[in-house]
Amino acid sequence: MVKKPPIRLLTPPIKNLFTRPAASDGSQASGSGGGGGGTNAPSFEAIFSEMLKRYLPETVTFEPLDEDVLRETISNWLRPAYDQAIRSRQERTQRQNAELDADALARGMGTSTYVTDVKDRAFRSEAQDVGALEGDYASTLAGQLYDAMRAQQETKIEVDMFNAEQINRAREKAAAAAQALYGASGHGGGSHAGANGGSQGSGSPLIDAMLSGVRPDTGDGGASLDYRTAANLLSRLTPEQRKQFYAGEGAYASQNAAILNGLGRAEYERLKAQFPAA
């Protein structure tokens, strides 16, 4: 019996873009039902969409091979062994018949009925053995094909579960950050629209608001910010923007102070070393 090697189908993971729901149109606050003039603070949908970009997860894709491709792949390494076994069986019949002819000639029997009958039995035996080999090949091919397809299905399920987990985590983080920013932008209490609207809608980009610590200063110790979040945010700034940030220039002044106060000098210096400026 031919020893069959195991199938090992390796499909490298491929990075795939995280599908993000598009922010709805008209997301900017219109000021209806508020205090007269509209504020520049973005809507929750706009903030949430921006946060999804910041927390973009790493996902993988897995494309199962088609059944015909799998069958051909398995057959390419399985069939040669069976073909060799069939050739060996046929060569054995030819060798036996040649020996039979030589013995018959030596005995002066020539092409007697006996010799012909023995050869016919040898050919029938060969046909049975070849048929058994072909049947075993078909059975082995079907079994290996089934195992390969089942393995692909299991891998696809694992990949889908991994991607779903990554996406759910990203959406949870984005939702939490968006909720905090939404409240900090003046929507939470409704008292920032109107005369104080200018301070909330200064026109600084959303990343500046994120760098303020995700949660507004409540007077009880400052913004809540860990090293991982700060590193995630700084990695998305260009070296030139980091230079302005570390210098505390312009719109980055309060954000720089928030990270320094929230993390401490040692962690702040580690951030600067990990994400250098221009």
Side-chain angles (χ1 to χ4, degrees):
M1 180 62 188
V2 179
K3 185 177 180 180
K4 302 179 286 294
I7 296 179
R8 297 183 181 181
L9 301 174
L10 302 178
T11 302
I14 305 173
K15 293 184 179 180
N16 184 26
L17 293 179
F18 172 44
T19 303
R20 301 182 295 272
S24 58
D25 295 335
S27 58
Q28 297 295 330
S30 61
S32 58
T39 175
N40 290 331
S43 69
F44 179 81
E45 290 78 8
I47 298 176
F48 181 65
S49 178
E50 183 69 18
M51 292 304 99
L52 282 178
K53 299 177 184 178
R54 306 300 176 188
Y55 289 98
L56 185 70
E58 293 289 339
T59 59
V60 298
T61 59
F62 175 79
E63 293 295 336
L65 296 177
D66 185 78
E67 180 178 347
D68 293 336
V69 176
L70 278 176
R71 181 182 291 105
E72 182 179 358
T73 301
I74 298 171
S75 179
N76 284 340
W77 59 258
L78 184 63
R79 186 68 206 185
Y82 281 91
D83 287 341
Q84 180 59 45
I86 291 173
R87 284 194 299 268
S88 297
R89 182 61 184 86
Q90 292 171 340
E91 289 172 359
R92 190 174 71 182
T93 300
Q94 293 174 1
R95 186 168 56 252
Q96 289 175 348
N97 288 342
E99 292 174 354
L100 179 62
D101 288 337
D103 183 68
L105 290 174
R107 294 173 182 270
M109 298 174 61
T111 56
S112 65
T113 305
Y114 170 77
V115 173
T116 303
D117 184 60
V118 173
K119 286 185 177 180
D120 288 342
R121 288 199 302 269
F123 283 124
R124 286 195 297 269
S125 177
E126 174 193 305
Q128 291 176 355
D129 291 343
V130 170
L133 286 171
E134 291 289 0
D136 185 70
Y137 164 76
S139 176
T140 303
L141 176 61
Q144 296 286 4
L145 179 60
Y146 171 80
D147 291 341
M149 295 188 66
R150 183 180 62 181
Q152 286 197 144
Q153 291 175 350
E154 292 174 353
T155 302
K156 184 66 166 62
I157 292 175
E158 292 176 0
V159 169
D160 290 343
M161 291 177 62
F162 170 80
N163 288 341
E165 183 178 1
Q166 293 294 97
I167 292 172
N168 287 337
R169 287 181 180 178
R171 292 181 68 85
E172 288 174 2
K173 293 179 180 179
Q179 186 63 48
L181 287 173
Y182 186 71
S185 65
H187 294 83
S191 61
H192 293 76
N196 242 2
S199 62
Q200 293 296 332
S202 61
S204 60
L206 268 178
I207 185 127
D208 295 342
M210 291 176 64
L211 288 171
S212 67
V214 176
R215 193 174 66 190
D217 187 356
T218 57
D220 58 355
S224 174
L225 182 71
D226 57 19
Y227 183 90
R228 186 174 182 177
T229 301
N232 182 39
L233 301 177
L234 283 175
S235 67
R236 289 168 167 78
L237 292 178
T238 65
E240 183 62 34
Q241 288 174 325
R242 291 176 196 151
K243 179 179 179 181
Q244 299 176 13
F245 176 85
Y246 293 138
E249 299 176 352
Y252 294 107
S254 60
Q255 289 80 12
N256 181 41
I259 286 186
L260 179 59
N261 294 333
L263 299 181
R265 172 59 63 178
E267 294 294 273
Y268 180 80
E269 293 298 330
R270 186 156 73 98
L271 270 177
K272 291 178 66 176
Q274 184 176 0
F275 304 101

